[in-house]
Amino acid sequence: KMQQENGEDPHVCQVEDEDDHAEDLLQRFLPHLPDSVQNKPREEQLKYLRKVLADARKDKADEEEKAKKLHEEYTRMIQEGYKAKHEDLYSIENWKFSTEFLKAQEANTKEELKLILKEVHPHIYSFRMLEDSFCERLLEEVAHFEQWCVKHGLKVNRPNSMNNYGAILDEFGFYPALQDLASKYLTKFSNILYPHVTGELDRHHGFIVSYEIGKDTKLDFHVDEADVTLNVCLGKTFNGGELYFGGIRCIHHQQTGPRPEENFEFAHQRGTALFHVGKHRHLAQPILSGERHNLILWMMSSTFRKGDNTGQYKSHMDQPKCPTWCGAHCTHEES
């Protein structure tokens, strides 16, 4: 079964107060109301329903505010106490990019870009991005942070609901560098290769995932909570762990099976990146030996998400249309 990697249910309702939707709300929730309420007049049913939903909204807001304060305190402790092992890594100007990645920044058309970035499968691009020495130093920095957390009794927040190992880079100083990477380098790739993802990649979630026998060994079939994803293998030495892709799908069609031509596997190599849209369904095959660590950058465009081609639920009454980029019904080119 396909999963959302952020673990959220896309069908969760966001209740509005407009009377225009009152009858629709009542029809949707009436079967779930207590018997004593179902037998009451419509206005009393609505009054009960509005109170239940208002209480639920308040509880959710209170929980979010509490979580926000706890996270602020957590990041404050890191900012005040953590001393980096490799301070230069925290500025994008010091990242050791490959020659081909830098050359790709000069491309202005899809044809020019595809001469440098290899389209290993429709809409999936691979390119050498980081030098091996940089990959090793970044892993050393992550291990240094995890050791510091253990020493100071702090929990290492894991990247998402599906990974039990790894770390969120944004939480210990990498946010500026990773946003520069998204805005200054990767927005250009996205605009050229995936023109339906309009605008700048102006938000991100950056983290490390780790796989090893006895820990996380694989990742189930899912989509990313991202418009565009960068996945860079940092090493170390390993066997297995291939990345399988099974077609681009909108929220309507995430549970549909892949067509034969959509099946694709990619073997990771240190320093090599994969670039794909977030809704390109994928999984990580089991690792057979060694350790595999990857830098993952989920990138989002506020401009794209405000449009009507996202295929996402924007409100509780919304039934989004299948967007132009969904691969469930045709074999079109990206539009």
Side-chain angles (χ1 to χ4, degrees):
K1 183 180 179 180
M2 245 281 313
Q3 299 186 43
Q4 286 276 125
E5 191 165 2
N6 67 341
E8 296 180 357
D9 182 351
H11 298 276
V12 169
C13 298
Q14 297 179 354
V15 180
E16 300 172 356
D17 291 327
E18 288 80 5
D19 290 337
D20 292 346
H21 299 313
E23 190 62 37
D24 293 321
L25 276 173
L26 185 58
Q27 291 303 316
R28 173 181 277 188
F29 287 99
L30 185 59
H32 306 288
L33 299 181
D35 292 341
S36 59
V37 177
Q38 292 190 30
N39 296 326
K40 288 185 177 182
R42 175 180 174 280
E43 289 305 318
E44 291 190 39
Q45 291 175 341
L46 282 172
K47 182 179 179 180
Y48 176 87
L49 179 59
R50 290 183 186 280
K51 184 180 185 306
V52 169
L53 296 175
D55 289 345
R57 273 202 306 257
K58 184 179 183 303
D59 289 344
K60 181 179 180 182
D62 290 344
E63 290 176 5
E64 290 176 346
E65 183 62 24
K66 181 180 179 181
K68 179 182 177 183
K69 289 181 178 179
L70 288 173
H71 187 260
E72 288 174 348
E73 176 63 16
Y74 176 79
T75 54
R76 183 191 64 78
M77 294 176 66
I78 294 173
Q79 291 170 359
E80 294 179 357
Y82 179 64
K83 303 298 181 184
K85 180 180 180 69
H86 301 300
E87 292 186 3
D88 58 302
L89 299 183
Y90 292 82
S91 174
I92 197 68
E93 285 75 16
N94 297 321
W95 283 38
K96 303 301 181 182
F97 293 124
S98 70
T99 301
E100 71 180 76
F101 179 72
L102 294 175
K103 185 178 180 182
Q105 301 302 315
E106 302 173 4
N108 292 308
T109 67
K110 189 172 185 177
E111 290 70 27
E112 292 176 352
L113 195 56
K114 288 174 71 172
L115 291 175
I116 304 169
L117 309 187
K118 183 180 179 182
E119 189 172 21
V120 293
H121 192 73
H123 317 307
I124 303 173
Y125 296 86
S126 174
F127 49 94
R128 178 76 177 172
M129 180 175 168
L130 296 172
E131 294 182 2
D132 287 357
S133 59
F134 180 88
C135 295
E136 185 62 37
R137 295 179 76 233
L138 182 55
L139 289 180
E140 289 176 359
E141 188 65 37
V142 174
H144 182 65
F145 172 70
E146 292 180 328
Q147 292 164 6
W148 180 86
C149 286
V150 171
K151 180 179 179 181
H152 291 83
L154 286 180
K155 176 185 176 182
V156 178
N157 287 332
R158 298 312 178 187
N160 53 64
S161 62
M162 296 180 70
N163 288 94
N164 299 306
Y165 297 89
I168 301 174
L169 294 171
D170 296 328
E171 292 187 336
F172 59 103
F174 279 97
Y175 188 92
L178 293 178
Q179 187 53 53
D180 281 344
L181 179 60
S183 298
K184 298 179 180 179
Y185 292 85
L186 299 175
T187 289
K188 183 172 189 175
F189 291 1
S190 177
N191 290 165
I192 293 176
L193 300 175
Y194 312 121
H196 73 277
V197 182
T198 53
E200 178 186 349
L201 300 174
D202 54 3
R203 294 188 296 119
H204 78 269
H205 176 51
F207 53 95
I208 300 291
V209 293
S210 299
Y211 300 91
E212 185 178 353
I213 300 296
K215 298 181 179 180
D216 284 342
T217 58
K218 62 184 180 64
L219 192 63
D220 293 335
F221 204 37
H222 67 278
V223 295
D224 297 338
E225 181 51 37
D227 300 327
V228 181
T229 295
L230 176 78
N231 182 335
V232 190
C233 182
L234 303 176
K236 301 180 178 178
T237 302
F238 58 90
N239 291 304
E242 295 83 3
L243 202 59
Y244 162 81
F245 287 87
I248 300 170
R249 295 292 188 274
C250 71
I251 200 168
H252 283 299
H253 299 110
Q254 285 178 3
Q255 303 297 339
T256 62
R259 297 188 301 276
E261 67 271 19
E262 292 180 309
N263 295 316
F264 173 69
E265 279 197 355
F266 182 84
H268 295 276
Q269 293 183 334
R270 171 179 268 186
T272 297
L274 277 183
F275 196 66
H276 60 87
V277 293
K279 297 303 181 282
H280 205 142
R281 302 175 301 178
H282 55 285
L283 61 78
Q285 301 284 17
I287 192 170
L288 302 177
S289 65
E291 300 176 33
R292 177 169 71 81
H293 307 272
N294 285 55
L295 163 63
I296 309 294
L297 191 61
W298 290 351
M299 295 167 284
M300 290 72 75
S301 164
S302 297
T303 301
F304 173 61
R305 294 198 168 200
K306 290 176 183 176
D308 61 0
N309 195 33
T310 64
Q312 297 295 319
Y313 286 84
K314 296 181 185 297
S315 75
H316 75 286
M317 297 307 301
D318 182 33
Q319 291 294 323
K321 64 181 181 180
C322 182
T324 59
W325 46 263
C326 179
H329 46 79
C330 60
T331 57
H332 57 68
E333 289 293 317
E334 292 285 351
S335 60

